[in-house]
């Protein structure tokens, strides 16, 4: 009897242990399933489509040069930070008129090349903007001769240095980078105006616009060489920007824009008019506010 009771108790113990083990496994499995089905918090987006302050760096285009009067900066007509209602600048579109006046700054300088961008960026970081706009490179191609154009490798190093200056001070600030405009189209459109061609003779972008009516092999080769350099600059802007998660290149939207004479200054037929500045502002706004940099839309003429 004792042996039988002992065996019975042992059997009950084994069964109980098995039941408890099974229950434990099932509980753990249920907890694992519950944990797996619990949604995790989504990470914040890297790109903010509504930055609250803007600093602009670059050259005469960002200064609105020749858009209001001859041989004069007109920052109020700047595509980036201007207050002119006909332009509806990027700053006004993002911040409103009052916000643009209080929280946007223009550090661009007429005549600047990429070599000058680093010092402008150093000024911009002092304002701690949430977005920096960059439009530079036209003057690197617009030189007195082809040999004087900025080498592509140097252009890359200068742009990278400016980006490094920004990142060392403001790692979370966003950057919008505009492509260099199509200088050959500027020549093609502007050469139809007799006054414009006379003004070009004063020394505006001689590498592309010099001898505007010349169509011989040498002139064609010269313009094609400048055009190839501009394309190479744009490739550099794209590649350097692509390495930075908080940088958006316009995917050549400015370069590809099929502007006409209405978008050119009536004083020099080279710089953007107010209408041209408005087109630049529209391209920038669409790029900055796009959900994905790969889908940044381009503006139709």
């Amino acid at each position: 009897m004792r042996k039988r009771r002992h065996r019975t108790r042992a059997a009950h113990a084994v069964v109980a242990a098995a039941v408890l083990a099974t229950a434990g496994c099932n509980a753990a499995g249920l907890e694992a399933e519950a944990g797996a089905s619990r949604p995790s918090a989504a990470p914040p987006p890297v790109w903010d489509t509504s930055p609250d302050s803007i600093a602009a760096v670059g050259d005469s285009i960002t200064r609105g040069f020749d858009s209001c009067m001859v041989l004069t900066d007109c920052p109020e007509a700047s595509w980036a930070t201007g207050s002119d209602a006909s332009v509806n600048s990027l700053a006004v579109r993002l911040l409103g008129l009052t916000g643009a006046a209080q929280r946007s700054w223009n550090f661009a300088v007429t005549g600047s090349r990429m070599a000058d961008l680093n010092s402008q960026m150093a000024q911009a970081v002092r304002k701690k903007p949430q977005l920096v706009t960059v439009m530079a490179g036209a003057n690197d191609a617009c030189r007195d001769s082809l040999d004087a154009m900025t080498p592509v490798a140097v252009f890359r190093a200068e742009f990278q240095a400016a980006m490094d200056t920004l990142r060392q001070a403001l790692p979370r600030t966003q950057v919008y980078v505009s492509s260099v405009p199509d200088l050959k189209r500027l020549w093609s459109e502007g050469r139809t105006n007799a006054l414009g061609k006379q003004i070009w003779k004063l020394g505006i972008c001689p590498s592309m616009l010099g001898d505007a009516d010349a169509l011989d092999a040498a002139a064609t080769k010269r313009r094609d060489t400048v055009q190839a350099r501009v394309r190479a600059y744009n490739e550099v802007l794209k590649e350097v920007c692509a390495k930075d998660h908080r940088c958006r290149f316009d995917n050549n939207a400015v370069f590809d824009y099929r502007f006409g004479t209405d978008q050119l200054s009536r004083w020099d037929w080279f710089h953007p008019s107010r209408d041209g500045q408005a087109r630049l502002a529209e391209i920038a706004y669409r790029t900055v506010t796009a959900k994905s940099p790969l889908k940044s839309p381009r503006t139709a003429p």
Side-chain angles (χ1 to χ4, degrees):
M1 290 295 292
R2 289 180 180 177
K3 289 184 179 180
R4 188 175 297 173
R5 289 176 182 173
H6 180 73
R7 290 173 186 163
T8 301
R9 289 172 183 170
H12 288 168
V14 170
V15 171
V19 170
L20 289 173
T22 303
C25 289
N26 288 342
L30 290 173
E31 286 183 9
E33 290 179 6
S37 63
R38 189 181 300 125
S40 58
V46 173
W47 185 268
D48 181 2
T49 57
S50 55
D52 195 49
S53 55
I54 301 172
V57 296
D59 55 29
S60 57
I61 296 178
T62 301
R63 291 298 298 175
F65 186 81
D66 268 3
S67 59
C68 299
M69 59 184 67
V70 64
L71 299 178
T72 303
D73 284 351
C74 185
E76 61 267 30
S78 168
W79 65 272
T81 60
S83 58
D84 191 315
S86 66
V87 172
N88 196 14
S89 71
L90 176 65
V92 170
R93 293 172 193 239
L94 290 173
L95 311 177
L97 190 61
T98 301
Q102 297 174 344
R103 302 188 304 280
S104 71
W105 309 275
N106 194 325
F107 296 104
V109 178
T110 293
S112 293
R113 300 198 295 274
M114 188 56 76
D116 303 303
L117 198 70
N118 195 28
S119 62
Q120 294 179 20
M121 195 71 83
Q123 294 177 9
V125 300
R126 295 173 192 151
K127 296 294 184 178
K128 298 182 179 179
Q130 292 186 8
L131 174 70
V132 173
T133 68
V134 177
M135 181 180 285
N139 290 323
D140 291 86
C142 285
R143 308 294 290 154
D144 291 335
S145 67
L146 298 181
D147 290 340
M149 292 192 298
T150 304
V152 176
V154 174
F155 186 90
R156 181 186 297 274
E158 291 168 347
F159 181 43
Q160 185 65 65
M163 289 293 292
D164 291 345
T165 294
L166 173 66
R167 282 291 163 252
Q168 289 167 9
L170 302 172
R172 298 181 64 85
T173 290
Q174 299 177 166
V175 187
Y176 162 74
V177 179
S178 166
S179 50
V180 181
D182 186 341
L183 299 181
K184 193 171 184 180
R185 184 170 178 84
L186 283 169
W187 163 76
S188 178
E189 290 294 313
R191 67 187 290 267
T192 61
N193 183 275
L195 175 61
K197 288 187 293 186
Q198 291 300 314
I199 294 175
W200 289 354
K201 292 179 181 179
L202 298 177
I204 296 179
C205 197
S207 57
M208 176 61 76
L209 305 182
D211 299 322
D213 288 324
L215 299 175
D216 57 88
T220 299
K221 182 179 179 180
R222 168 171 54 84
R223 296 186 193 107
D224 288 345
T225 301
V226 175
Q227 186 75 340
R229 185 61 57 91
V230 169
R231 290 182 182 276
Y233 290 162
N234 283 335
E235 190 63 22
V236 166
L237 296 174
K238 175 183 177 180
E239 291 172 357
V240 172
C241 188
K243 295 187 297 182
D244 189 315
H245 292 307
R246 299 185 188 277
C247 182
R248 281 191 177 183
F249 179 58
D250 73 358
N251 290 331
N252 282 322
V254 169
F255 178 85
D256 290 340
Y257 181 73
R258 308 299 290 173
F259 56 82
T261 53
D262 287 344
Q263 283 78 53
L264 298 180
S265 166
R266 62 189 179 91
W267 286 286
D268 65 19
W269 299 92
F270 177 78
H271 289 90
S273 62
R274 281 187 175 91
D275 186 80
Q277 291 281 348
R279 303 288 76 75
L280 295 175
E282 183 178 355
I283 291 171
Y285 179 74
R286 291 186 177 182
T287 303
V288 170
T289 59
K291 292 182 179 179
S292 168
L294 300 178
K295 298 179 180 179
S296 299
R298 296 175 182 175
T299 307

